Amino acid sequence: ARKGGFYRVNTPDVGSANSTEADAKTLLRLIQQVANELKAAGFEAIAVPCHVGNKEDLQRLVDTTLQTWGRIDVLFTDLGLPGGMNGAELAEEVRRRHPDVHIICTTGYPKDAVLRNWPLPARTPLITKPYSQSTLSQQFAAVLSRQGADQNRP
């Protein structure tokens, strides 16, 4: 892992007619890279590359993940997702169905433009690309510490 190193994740539009198997492999590699960097920072992380076209796809994905891993503490998603739901819609639907899951979003677009065009659920951090491993780790630590504080409330 590259502690403190910056990297940019440019994901190909895997859902388009012009996407190739190489695009899909690149996307899988990039998703795994983020999971590996979180693991290197001491977090338990799994990479779940997926296409969420609608709310039913999302529910199947969440159900399968919960059955396999038992719980989801944090969902980390890009706002620009191919096809179907965008990341803001995904975050909103996950928050509606599973209010205990914290969400962190990322994007390569300027933060001001994103917040004007893609309203995010309350208490959803947005990390702009490129970002460092330490920035990602700090955001995860912040939302997980907030989770602990939320659980200790009467």
Side-chain angles (χ1 to χ4, degrees):
R2 297 166 295 175
K3 290 193 183 278
F6 284 86
Y7 59 93
R8 182 178 295 275
V9 179
N10 294 312
T11 57
D13 186 1
V14 178
S16 76
N18 297 326
S19 68
T20 66
E21 186 176 330
D23 290 337
K25 287 180 181 178
T26 298
L27 180 59
L28 292 173
R29 189 180 90 259
L30 293 171
I31 291 168
Q32 190 60 55
Q33 176 186 355
V34 171
N36 289 342
E37 293 214 5
L38 287 167
K39 288 177 186 176
F43 296 98
E44 183 176 338
I46 57 169
V48 184
C50 62
H51 173 78
V52 180
N54 55 44
K55 293 177 183 181
E56 291 76 28
D57 289 347
L58 172 63
Q59 191 58 50
R60 278 192 294 280
L61 172 68
V62 170
D63 289 347
T64 301
T65 304
L66 288 172
Q67 287 171 2
T68 304
W69 294 95
R71 73 175 200 226
I72 302 169
D73 294 319
V74 181
L75 168 69
F76 179 55
T77 184
D78 199 301
L79 290 176
L81 301 176
M85 300 175 90
N86 66 45
E89 294 167 332
L90 175 69
E92 186 66 41
E93 189 63 20
V94 167
R95 180 70 47 84
R96 187 181 71 74
R97 292 175 186 231
H98 304 279
D100 54 325
V101 174
H102 291 278
I103 301 162
I104 301 172
C105 293
T106 188
T107 185
Y109 295 105
K111 194 173 198 171
D112 293 344
V114 167
L115 296 177
R116 272 194 313 274
N117 297 306
W118 286 329
L120 297 176
R123 298 176 57 165
T124 302
L126 177 63
I127 304 172
T128 56
K129 301 174 196 173
Y131 51 82
S132 67
Q133 179 185 357
S134 65
T135 297
L136 185 61
S137 298
Q138 288 168 4
Q139 283 294 342
F140 268 74
V143 297
L144 290 171
S145 69
R146 191 171 70 218
Q147 177 183 30
D150 290 347
Q151 289 175 349
N152 293 328
R153 286 190 190 144

